[in-house]
Amino acid sequence: MAVGIFDSGLGGLTVLDAVARRLPQVPFVYFGDNKHAPYGVRTADDIFDLTCQATERLWAEGCDLVILACNTASAAALKRMQDTWIPPGKRVLGVFVPLIEALTERQWGDNSPPREVAVKHVALFATPATVASRAFQRELAFRAIGVDVEAQPCAGVVDAIEQGDEILAEALVRSHVEALKRRMPHPEAAVLGCTHYPLMEKAFQDALGAGVKVYSQANLVAESLTDYLTRRPEFHGPGQVSKFLTTGDPSNVSSKATQFLRRKISFQAA
């Protein structure tokens, strides 16, 4: 039964790829709001409204469980959605918590007080809206103490990926890593806090150096979703068919998705 995957554009395909490999029996409906990407420069109200619209579209496809495979939406909209908007019988989950659990070496559902962890200096690369929300630091503080987080807003990277310009995206990654390392010369770990960024993971790793552990969300979210559906099978929705939906031009979005994932992806108009 279908599960929805939402992103502002192409980035969530990295999550979809990982969860589809882990759960081959589950149909997934992917919704990319390419018309309004990037979200990272929008206001919190804008992000909330657009994310709610996309979530409702996925519910209409029979996806009672929707994963916000978009850190900006997870940071700026998810808590407000959960507090004020999501009706009984539906669930919307974000992508921050699985990553933070991995970083702090906690199991799902470990609600013990925050404690010292091995990693002390963490570089966070994210969109301007995610950085401004401080959602990553807030979630981390529930689980760990004594961790220094240096956040770098990576303006332009999502735009370059959405435009299919890998050369520009790689150049921007190097520039943002250099800017962060001027403030934190020796990070122990780096968090790719946008689901577009795993498409540039090699560029981040090369710029950071081999000694920095890079945390990318796709496989962590796949593990967490597998566990969630095992515990909560009622949130397998009634949908039966996998499909890719976009608010952008389906032909253009399909071409760019195919370029980045190195396999044929065909989008339909949402």
Side-chain angles (χ1 to χ4, degrees):
M1 300 299 179
V3 173
I5 307 284
F6 165 70
D7 188 60
S8 62
L10 298 176
L13 291 171
T14 61
V15 172
L16 176 68
D17 246 19
V19 297
R21 283 196 304 270
R22 190 69 181 262
L23 297 163
Q25 76 282 10
V26 176
F28 290 95
V29 181
Y30 184 89
F31 184 104
D33 191 12
N34 301 77
K35 179 180 177 180
H36 300 107
Y39 278 20
V41 294
R42 291 183 173 274
T43 66
D45 283 344
D46 244 1
I47 296 164
F48 176 80
D49 291 341
L50 290 168
T51 304
C52 289
Q53 289 169 29
T55 300
E56 287 182 321
R57 181 67 179 83
L58 287 166
W59 286 341
E61 291 289 334
C63 303
D64 289 346
L65 171 63
V66 173
I67 308 301
L68 300 186
C70 172
N71 286 271
T72 300
S74 294
L78 179 58
K79 188 173 189 307
R80 181 175 168 189
M81 292 170 74
Q82 292 173 333
D83 288 348
T84 68
W85 185 78
I86 299 169
K90 308 288 188 187
R91 285 290 185 277
V92 180
L93 304 176
V95 289
F96 269 138
V97 171
L99 187 149
I100 291 171
E101 287 172 345
L103 186 68
T104 58
E105 300 179 344
R106 283 191 176 224
Q107 299 298 312
W108 192 94
D110 179 352
N111 295 315
S112 59
R115 59 177 181 261
E116 294 267 354
V117 295
V119 175
K120 301 297 184 188
H121 303 287
V122 175
L124 169 65
F125 297 96
T127 66
T130 297
V131 171
S133 75
R134 294 189 62 80
F136 178 84
Q137 290 91 325
R138 184 174 63 246
E139 292 288 346
L140 181 63
F142 290 142
R143 297 164 177 82
I145 56 176
V147 181
D148 179 22
V149 177
E150 188 64 53
Q152 174 65 30
C154 296
V157 174
V158 170
D159 302 78
I161 291 171
E162 290 288 322
Q163 291 159 15
D165 192 336
E166 293 182 67
I167 293 173
L168 175 59
E170 288 175 4
L172 287 167
V173 165
R174 288 193 296 271
S175 174
H176 289 307
V177 171
E178 288 168 5
L180 180 134
K181 290 179 81 171
R182 286 195 288 271
R183 304 190 304 276
M184 180 183 276
H186 303 292
E188 298 164 86
V191 170
L192 304 188
C194 172
T195 48
H196 283 73
Y197 296 173
L199 296 166
M200 295 289 116
E201 184 170 352
K202 184 178 186 302
F204 275 103
Q205 187 70 74
D206 289 348
L208 286 160
V212 180
K213 182 173 175 56
V214 174
Y215 286 84
S216 185
Q217 290 167 304
N219 290 328
L220 298 172
V221 172
E223 291 173 18
S224 183
L225 178 60
T226 301
D227 181 61
Y228 187 87
L229 288 173
T230 300
R231 290 180 293 102
R232 305 295 301 273
E234 69 271 25
F235 286 109
H236 282 280
Q240 298 285 343
V241 180
S242 292
K243 62 179 69 172
F244 297 85
L245 303 172
T246 179
T247 56
D249 172 17
S251 175
N252 188 35
V253 174
S254 298
S255 174
K256 290 173 181 172
T258 298
Q259 172 191 346
F260 274 101
L261 287 188
R262 309 310 203 261
R263 65 181 177 88
K264 182 67 175 173
I265 304 287
S266 295
F267 276 82
Q268 306 171 29

